[in-house]
Amino acid sequence: MSFENPSLKSSVYLDNMEEIRKVFKRFDANGDDKLSSTELGNVLNALGSETSPDEIKRMMVEIDTDGDGFIDLQEFADFHRGVNNGDARSTADGIRELKDAFNLFDRDKNGLISVTELHMILKNLGENCSLHDCSKMISSVDADGDSNVNFEEFKKMMMTNSRASSH
């Protein structure tokens, strides 16, 4: 995947179906077009998350809306686009999930995602990108100019791109 093109933003923000499909395929280790709880756990481990089997089960139940025990591409896309019934609990859950996602990237727990942290996560996911590429990704959402992404910038980026891709 090249980060030297106009789709730079979409490759990080999952703002269109093609990018969601690419991420899904990366998670789908055995290529069967569905994610098992094992595959989900492996991805979370690659991100550095110490997710318990019970938490993985909870995530599977939440994302696997047809209850077949697997996450298909449509369920994965709906989850990333924030498709839900729009009630207050869903909104609160969405913010919590965003915070959990942010915390996966914030390896040193200083409340900021640095270029180095982003680079390390993308490398762990098998992406071939340079520190310069990561710096460009961060600068595209860095509203306060500190060369890092704080939670508010992360939340704004994710919420904006979820709304943009759900029409």
Side-chain angles (χ1 to χ4, degrees), residues 27-117:
F27 290 3
D28 182 18
N30 65 1
D32 65 356
D33 292 328
K34 54 190 176 182
L35 302 181
S36 67
S37 59
T38 301
E39 288 167 321
L40 180 61
N42 289 343
V43 169
L44 293 170
N45 288 337
L47 288 169
S49 171
E50 295 179 17
T51 309
S52 72
D54 287 343
E55 182 68 5
I56 291 170
K57 283 180 194 170
R58 186 194 67 74
M59 293 170 75
M60 287 295 294
V61 167
E62 181 178 336
I63 302 169
D64 174 25
T65 56
D66 67 6
D68 69 353
F70 296 94
I71 300 168
D72 63 30
L73 178 60
Q74 189 59 56
E75 290 166 334
F76 188 75
D78 289 348
F79 174 75
H80 280 286
R81 290 176 171 171
V83 173
N84 58 40
N85 60 12
D87 65 22
R89 192 173 141 257
S90 294
T91 301
D93 287 347
I95 297 298
R96 183 180 42 77
E97 287 165 7
L98 279 177
K99 186 65 174 166
D100 290 347
F102 179 84
N103 288 337
L104 287 175
F105 285 87
D106 182 17
R107 305 293 290 240
D108 64 7
K109 305 301 178 212
N110 68 347
L112 301 169
I113 299 170
S114 69
V115 171
T116 306
E117 287 168 324

